Amino acid sequence: MTESARRPAPAGAPGDDGWLAEVAREASADAGGVPVELLGDYLRLLTEAAVTGRRPRRGELDAVGALGRRAAEQGVSAGRAVRLYLAAARRLWRHLPHLDRSTDSETVRAAADAVLHVVDTAVATLAEGYAAARRELVRREETLRRELVDDLLRGDSDLGGLVERAEPFGLDLARVHQVALAAPGHRLPDTEAAISALERVIFDRLGDRDVLVATKEGLLVVIAPADPAPPDRGEGGPVTALGRMMHGELDRLVRGRPWQVAVGRPHPGVYGIARSYEEAREALTTARRLHAGTPVIDAHDLLIYRVLLRDQAAMVDLVQAVLTPLSQARGGAEPLLDTLHEYFACGEVATEAARRLHVSVRTVTYRLDRIRALSGYDPADPRDRFTLHAAVLGARALDWPRRPLPA
């Protein structure tokens, strides 16, 4: 064996793998422990570019793009993946002694240009592969999340399967949850901005575990953990806190206003989510029928309408028997119904009802007299008050007299 054959290859020679492995380990440490496997043949491309000036082929760049996809799938951040490649280039340049010994500035400049070209194209290709993989992951997660939300709200899916599918999203189906629905005043061309705004504020307040934000039938849906304790009927109670938080954030968006948010009551378990959703949906529907402009609706406040409308035929019969005679009044039945509604709502105080209706007290008392004369029911008589109040609530739920009573 000749002397030249026994001498080890100098550092920086394309055939020397040991020093490349050391550069890879150092670059991995610089990038916070990113796996060295994500470098692939990148270091060899840099070495050949520095020594021979060769530029990477299309197939070699495609391999770098595949490494970017792998980094995204492994959960490595884009910043750390890019840092790995930049750190590898910096450390490799220091280990090129043939350039240190060179006195020809043109040689060094040509090598630097070739290396920087590889760094530029490789990092760009790595980022493109990473971004493509992230888009696919986001689309896949969005599809899985939408399917999970649909099945949770429907409430008739396999319980074991739901628990297994909910686990990656951090959703503990054994907890108590409530569902809130947000309806835009105008149809949104793109719901991504609204979803992002809701996720940002809700995750900040409640954490990103045990919360799902999605869309369904043109509505924004939030499934969030709730306090199993009885709801506080105060203005800042836990049931309406979620709704107020959602409305406050959505109202800042340029599109979609005015928003209306309905919050279902908290219920435990998988089927409790479906029940809370049905309550929130019914609350939105009822609020629209009542022409209520309340920005945040608590389903608890509309329970009476659910009871009244459960037997619609009986409610229609009650409204027809008690209130249709009011249609004989000048101006129709609607002003008299509005008067009854405000009169009962304020505790049967005529002066307060007049203030709410923006009319005189004399007008209120006159209308109450007309109601007594036309219907035969006296709003001031405790025996008639309940019948009148139930009929008024039923009329509002049926949207009478704006709409004819159902047959």
Side-chain angles (χ1 to χ4, degrees):
M1 183 178 296
T2 65
E3 180 69 21
S4 61
R6 288 195 300 268
R7 187 184 306 125
D16 183 13
D17 288 335
W19 76 283
L20 292 180
E22 180 62 25
V23 168
R25 285 192 293 271
E26 293 173 351
S28 172
D30 291 344
V34 176
V36 296
E37 292 79 12
L38 294 179
L39 286 171
D41 288 331
Y42 172 64
L43 290 177
R44 190 171 297 283
L45 294 177
L46 290 175
T47 304
E48 292 184 5
V51 175
T52 68
R54 185 178 77 82
R55 298 194 171 190
R57 304 180 183 91
R58 183 69 261 172
E60 292 169 330
L61 290 176
D62 289 343
V64 173
L67 291 170
R69 298 175 66 90
R70 188 189 304 174
E73 292 166 357
Q74 292 180 359
V76 177
S77 70
R80 291 174 63 198
V82 170
R83 186 178 179 186
L84 173 69
Y85 273 57
L86 296 180
R90 175 173 53 82
R91 289 188 172 275
L92 179 135
W93 184 261
R94 294 176 181 175
H95 287 73
L96 293 174
H98 76 287
L99 295 178
D100 290 339
R101 294 191 299 267
S102 177
T103 58
D104 185 354
S105 61
E106 287 299 324
T107 300
V108 175
R109 187 178 298 111
D113 181 71
V115 169
L116 289 175
H117 176 80
V118 173
V119 172
D120 181 45
T121 54
V123 169
T125 305
L126 179 82
E128 289 173 3
Y130 189 98
R134 285 300 305 166
R135 286 193 296 269
E136 290 181 8
L137 289 172
V138 168
R139 283 195 294 268
R140 193 181 311 138
E141 181 181 285
E142 178 61 29
T143 300
L144 293 174
R145 178 170 58 178
R146 189 180 297 113
E147 291 174 352
L148 174 63
V149 168
D150 285 343
D151 290 343
L152 285 172
L153 299 184
R154 194 167 60 245
D156 58 357
S157 299
D158 172 57
L159 178 58
L162 281 177
V163 172
E164 183 177 345
R165 290 161 55 196
E167 195 276 333
F169 294 96
L171 201 64
D172 182 2
L173 297 182
R175 293 188 62 182
V176 175
H177 289 86
Q178 63 185 139
V179 177
L181 302 177
H186 305 282
R187 188 171 182 269
L188 286 175
D190 182 12
T191 58
E192 287 302 318
I195 290 179
S196 298
L198 277 185
E199 285 181 333
R200 184 169 56 252
V201 67
I202 292 175
F203 290 172
D204 181 58
R205 305 278 184 87
L206 304 178
D208 61 354
R209 304 286 293 176
D210 218 30
V211 175
L212 280 180
V213 181
T215 59
K216 183 177 177 64
E217 299 174 356
L219 303 174
L220 295 180
V221 182
V222 174
I223 301 175
D227 189 345
D232 178 7
R233 303 309 309 144
E235 194 168 315
V239 173
T240 55
L242 175 62
R244 294 183 187 282
M245 178 170 56
M246 289 172 56
H247 188 271
E249 189 64 27
L250 291 172
D251 201 45
R252 299 177 186 176
L253 300 178
V254 176
R255 295 178 175 176
R257 291 184 293 186
W259 288 86
Q260 196 167 41
V261 179
V263 186
R265 293 180 297 166
H267 297 290
V270 174
Y271 302 116
I273 293 176
R275 183 179 176 187
S276 183
Y277 165 68
E278 287 299 327
E279 291 178 353
R281 193 175 64 163
E282 284 186 20
L284 267 182
T285 302
T286 303
R288 288 169 180 166
R289 294 171 72 173
L290 297 176
H291 302 280
T294 310
V296 180
I297 307 159
D298 186 345
H300 188 283
D301 295 336
L302 300 180
L303 284 176
I304 183 62
Y305 293 100
R306 295 184 66 193
V307 173
L308 292 173
L309 293 176
R310 190 156 291 171
D311 188 348
Q312 182 169 293
M315 181 50 59
V316 170
D317 193 25
L318 177 65
V319 172
Q320 197 161 29
V322 176
L323 299 180
T324 52
L326 303 184
S327 302
Q328 303 171 31
R330 190 188 325 177
E334 193 163 350
L336 300 182
L337 286 178
D338 290 342
T339 300
L340 278 175
H341 176 73
E342 296 300 341
Y343 181 68
F344 291 134
C346 69
E348 301 159 32
V349 179
T351 53
E352 177 60 19
R355 188 189 66 80
R356 296 185 180 190
L357 292 165
H358 306 290
V359 298
S360 67
V361 176
R362 183 168 181 169
T363 299
V364 170
T365 56
Y366 169 76
R367 289 178 179 177
L368 294 176
D369 287 340
R370 290 295 292 154
I371 291 166
R372 180 170 52 251
L374 291 171
S375 70
Y377 291 88
D378 184 358
D381 188 331
R383 294 172 299 178
D384 295 343
R385 189 185 304 131
F386 177 78
T387 300
L388 275 172
H389 197 181
V392 168
L393 293 174
R396 287 174 63 82
L398 296 169
D399 202 15
W400 184 85
R402 293 186 183 90
R403 294 181 182 181
L405 291 172

